[in-house]
Amino acid sequence: GITYLDHAGSALFPESLLKAFTDDLRNNVYGNPHSQNISSKLTYDTIEHVRYRILQHFHTTAEDYTIIFTSGCTAALKLVAEAFPWIPEGTKQPSSRFCYLTDSHTSVVGMRGITASMNVLSVPIKPKEVLLSEKNRLPAEEQNCTTPHLFSYPAQSNFSGTKYPLSWIQDIKSGKLRPIKIPGKWFVLLDAASYVSSSPLDLGVHQADFIPISFYKIFGFPTGLGALLVNNRIAPLLRKTYFGGGTAAAYLAGEDFYFPRKSIAERFEDGTVSFLDIIALKHGFEVLEKLTGGMEKIKQHTFALAHYTYTVLSTLKYANGAPVVRIYSDTDFSNPDVQGPIINFNVLDENGEVIGFSQVDKMASLYNIHVRTGCFCNTGACQMHLGISNEDIQRNLQAGHVCGDDIDLVDGRPTGSVRISFGYMSSFEDAQSFLKFIIATRLSKSDTEIPFQSSSTKLTTESVPDDHPSFNNADKLSPIPHISDTELGNNSSATKTTVNWQPPEAEVESIRAAVSETAVPTYRRGGKPITVTNIYLYPIKSCSAFEVTEWPVGNQGLLYDRNWMVVNQNGVCMTQKQEPRLCLVNPSIDLKQKIMVIQAEGMDPISVSLEENPGKEAVICESKVCSHRVKTYDCGERVAGWFSIFLGRPCCLIRQSSDMKKKSHQKNIKGLASAANISLSLVNEAQYLLINVASILQLKEHISARLEEPLDIEELIRRFRANIVISAPESFEEEEWAEISIGALRFQVVGPCSRCQIICIDQQSGERNKEFLQSLSAARGRKTNFGIYLMNQPLCSSLPDILSVGSQVLPVLKENTEIQPPTSSEEKCSG
């Protein structure tokens, strides 16, 4: 099963919540609450009931607070920035200030964009500076100033789980604490989005002026719904310029006349609220109470799991005494009033070097553990805990790193970390599964070997609590699975096909000479010649390979390579990550008959025409295959039924439309001929993927030693799902190439392929073995790069371009031998 450890990102919803909600919708008719009919009146009354239920949940009443529904916490924060009664610079009155804790979500920091447009200064405040702000008390003559200032801070850090004192609310409003020394009246915005997911908040005691929340962090469903709780004492001071449907008591279309509704909620809820989602909240509160007994119990339960996990995690040591992880925390996890159920950390090697969060995430996915990585939309906390300077952030951006990508190390320093978080659905087994994963991947001899060399380094655990003896022996926790040595050569699922298109040798040689004359004059010197040993195309993305001895090259790569893909009922691309059985589907291309034949064990073969049928073009759909819109058309109900039966779930086969190949899925590659946009099929990153047999052989030795049994070279080659397999004398020498020519074709090297868990899938059986990705990471010094991406540079030739087995490969070395990975935020794999 799945171990879900990203409850700070989103809670999971229980089935009983969905059932109660859908039963409600079946039994009642809910109309637009702005209408006056019976069904609309029912909606209006239900919404008002939900408002009261929310206030009850936070231990307050409508006398003190107003609920304004928004699309989420971010929208609530934006509303505050726009409506707060700021006094700008340059007026006769003292001007306002917007102060925020540096340990704040991006959505809080982003409020300064609005305040800047209003000529209001923003001041970031470090957590330690708040504690020293008692020194900022004003002289008596300045204490009567009424200029409004706003201070925002999180009740709980979404980065580390640190709970900041709720007592700050009253201390700042009373003037006991002052974020900065300036006359005026302070109001407090308490960002409670992270806090209220696992802790009770009593607004009767801690009366902040603004409290933004997102409900999916509490219930998991519905998403896209939040609220701003506004203290009624400040509500009349809020200003609003835009007015939408439902907010006006009266207005004139022909004159500048508008009079707002009296209700604060109705005045600020522009348009029709998401009334069905609001009705779902009623069931969310009921189910949460029924399942857990309330927020105080959730607080104690989730903290107990975090405390236990922290205790074990912090005691894991290598034999040399070095810690296995570095935990980023301001507390020792001893008190649930100051620490939430979030643990933020980076995994270290035995030398104390950080293992990139992207690699940890990939490993976790092999164990079906879902974590969160990066900076978690909290750059301030990330900088504070990881020691990243402002200059580092700007340098990392220049190096190609942006928020949310998988570039985890720049110059050996981490750009982010790993976060696990517990929710009310989390169990002790979840905590154990996570700790077993850390122990199995770090506390085993083979995971700490120097790449391709034996190592005597051993790892131990120490100071593990006596009442949890199961964590004292990593070998018992995660026995290394063994795979059978399958002779793919005798039982190959891929068909080898020859296309008899061979250009005259004389013209090929003249073209090759032309390439050599214009290439960068840094050639590979000496050594045996390099040749192409295998050519594979994958007509259907993530399905089995179709092996050929020679094949025509199109403007997107090998002709028909990844022109089709299987999608689920929502139109989302299916890959072997979600459905390993896709590798058992064997497509083959018959160029003479102009068909693709699809086969699988237990199924009758089915054919699809290679000729496009524009009449079947479907709507443009979004796909994360290529981070671009891809216009496709459905290949019909017959083949959809075939795939649905074989995979046991509703799905269909779609094909990329040729007119969109030229317009949509393109990529600018620096340095390619004519600087033109390069057209891609349904690949992830580039037109071709190349691997080297010598590199495979060296990796084979490493994996075989870990598995203690021999491996078949053909099986390993198929796991890496390359288009071009070459035989070069030296392992990994391909990573030093800038470009290559093969026959009449010239290719630019784009960068290395960072591997995902698909290499763990046996391409003949569909069985997973997580040892392969772990071995690759260990063998390559914590990286999972294997193979290089290529883009084709078309030559001016009247001949059809053909790629053939046996062709000589002529590489050109690059000046800087460090290949940088592609800048796309997509995870690179060869689906």
Side-chain angles (χ1 to χ4, degrees), residues 234-264:
I234 191 177
L237 303 179
L238 300 181
R239 300 178 300 204
K240 191 166 185 282
T241 52
Y242 174 80
F243 59 94
T247 65
Y251 75 96
L252 291 173
E255 293 184 23
D256 187 11
F257 172 76
Y258 162 75
F259 195 82
R261 286 184 176 270
K262 186 177 181 179
S263 163
I264 294 296

Side-chain angles (χ1 to χ4, degrees), residues 483-494 536 547 700 704 709-719 762-765:
I483 63 169
S484 59
D485 183 21
T486 306
E487 294 295 333
L488 296 183
N490 299 329
N491 185 24
S492 176
S493 61
Y536 299 99
E547 185 174 7
K700 174 178 176 287
S704 295
E709 64 177 65
L711 287 175
D712 179 55
I713 186 68
E714 291 297 325
E715 180 200 350
L716 270 181
I717 288 175
R718 292 186 185 281
R719 284 179 183 266
D762 186 324
Q763 294 297 301
Q764 275 209 310
S765 67

Side-chain angles (χ1 to χ4, degrees), residues 495-503 535 537 546-553 558-560 589-592 800-805:
T495 306
K496 206 174 273 194
T497 299
T498 302
V499 182
N500 294 316
W501 293 352
Q502 187 64 39
I535 300 172
L537 60 148
F546 174 49
E547 185 174 7
V548 296
T549 56
E550 57 183 28
W551 198 254
V553 171
L558 294 171
L559 193 62
Y560 301 118
I589 302 292
D590 189 324
L591 293 174
K592 290 184 179 179
D801 290 335
I802 301 293
L803 191 62
S804 304
V805 169

Side-chain angles (χ1 to χ4, degrees), residues 56 83 163 300 700 822:
Q56 179 188 358
K163 290 182 177 179
Q300 298 298 331
K700 174 178 176 287

Side-chain angles (χ1 to χ4, degrees), residues 463-714:
S463 303
V464 177
D466 295 334
D467 55 335
H468 299 296
S470 61
F471 290 101
N472 290 325
N473 192 330
D475 292 333
K476 292 181 181 178
L477 290 171
S478 183
I480 298 176
H482 293 265
I483 63 169
S484 59
D485 183 21
T486 306
E487 294 295 333
L488 296 183
N490 299 329
N491 185 24
S492 176
S493 61
T495 306
K496 206 174 273 194
T497 299
T498 302
V499 182
N500 294 316
W501 293 352
Q502 187 64 39
E505 184 63 28
E507 183 156 355
V508 170
E509 288 302 322
S510 65
I511 294 172
R512 184 178 301 168
V515 170
S516 299
E517 288 175 6
T518 59
V520 178
T522 311
Y523 297 99
R524 173 180 175 272
R525 300 186 181 279
K528 297 179 181 178
I530 303 172
T531 58
V532 175
T533 62
N534 304 82
I535 300 172
Y536 299 99
L537 60 148
Y538 306 83
I540 305 175
K541 183 175 176 64
S542 241
C543 289
S544 179
F546 174 49
E547 185 174 7
V548 296
T549 56
E550 57 183 28
W551 198 254
V553 171
N555 66 342
Q556 293 185 308
L558 294 171
L559 193 62
Y560 301 118
D561 182 44
R562 295 176 175 92
N563 270 203
W564 293 263
M565 66 180 178
V566 182
V567 297
N568 65 16
Q569 67 268 40
N570 296 322
V572 177
C573 175
M574 295 169 60
T575 71
Q576 290 184 29
K577 291 181 185 179
Q578 302 87 28
E579 186 49 78
R581 281 172 52 81
L582 281 170
C583 71
L584 305 180
V585 176
N586 303 304
S588 58
I589 302 292
D590 189 324
L591 293 174
K592 290 184 179 179
Q593 298 188 47
K594 297 183 178 179
I595 59 171
M596 174 175 65
V597 179
I598 308 171
Q599 303 178 74
E601 186 175 348
M603 303 289 291
D604 293 330
I606 190 171
S607 63
V608 175
S609 174
L610 298 183
E611 296 181 348
E612 292 195 36
N613 185 351
K616 292 185 179 179
E617 284 185 0
V619 296
I620 294 174
C621 61
E622 295 284 345
S623 175
K624 289 222 58 175
V625 172
C626 50
S627 298
H628 291 279
R629 288 191 309 164
V630 181
K631 190 173 183 180
T632 62
Y633 65 87
D634 196 310
C635 294
E637 294 182 4
R638 187 172 64 95
V639 69
W642 191 95
F643 274 97
S644 298
I645 291 172
F646 180 72
L647 297 176
R649 62 166 75 181
C651 55
C652 60
L653 183 70
I654 62 175
R655 184 181 185 182
Q656 186 180 16
S657 178
S658 60
D659 65 332
M660 287 300 289
K661 292 177 184 177
K662 300 173 182 176
K663 301 174 186 176
S664 181
H665 192 189
Q666 299 178 330
K667 188 176 184 70
N668 284 310
I669 302 297
K670 183 178 179 181
L672 282 183
S674 74
N677 279 343
I678 300 299
S679 179
L680 300 179
S681 61
L682 300 175
V683 295
N684 283 8
E685 189 61 34
Q687 295 172 336
Y688 304 86
L689 177 58
L690 177 147
I691 62 174
N692 179 4
V693 172
S695 306
I696 288 280
L697 288 171
Q698 193 160 11
L699 182 64
K700 174 178 176 287
E701 293 178 10
H702 193 77
I703 299 176
S704 295
R706 289 170 64 104
L707 292 176
E708 299 180 351
E709 64 177 65
L711 287 175
D712 179 55
I713 186 68
E714 291 297 325

